[in-house]
Amino acid sequence: MATGADQAVGMSLVLFSLLLFTYYTVWVIVLPFVDARHVLHRYFLPREYSVILPGVAAVLLLLCIGTFTAVILWKNRKPKKTD
């Protein structure tokens, strides 16, 4: 069973992910159809970043996964027998 702290951390991660998904969805899907002078545009970065930021995040995620895999493989390798 998860403790109260684990549940709080899990719920905060879910809420953060939901907020991030909603922000990105409005930024990429809704904002292009809103007039450029509308006040809503002040709360979002320029549209170029909607491609750049997820690309950088994907590269960092793949880098972390590759590093983690390399560390695990390096720690679990068996030493060569010398006879």
Side-chain angles (χ1 to χ4, degrees), residues 5-71:
D6 291 339
Q7 290 179 347
V9 169
M11 184 58 70
S12 64
L13 287 173
V14 167
L15 290 175
F16 175 74
S17 298
L18 182 63
L19 179 68
L20 188 65
F21 176 76
T22 304
Y23 180 86
Y24 188 76
T25 301
V26 170
W27 185 23
V28 173
I29 296 176
V30 175
L31 213 57
F33 298 106
V34 177
D35 186 29
R37 294 180 308 250
H38 195 273
V39 70
L40 189 61
H41 280 277
R42 289 192 304 172
Y43 300 107
F44 296 91
L45 292 171
R47 212 169 282 141
E48 299 85 34
Y49 291 107
S50 67
V51 175
I52 294 170
L53 291 177
V56 169
V59 167
L60 288 175
L61 177 67
L62 290 174
L63 181 66
C64 289
I65 290 172
T67 303
F68 176 76
T69 304
V71 167

Side-chain angles (χ1 to χ4, degrees), residues 66-79:
T67 303
F68 176 76
T69 304
V71 167
I72 295 299
L73 289 175
W74 184 70
K75 283 185 177 182
N76 288 335
R77 68 181 175 151
K78 296 181 180 175

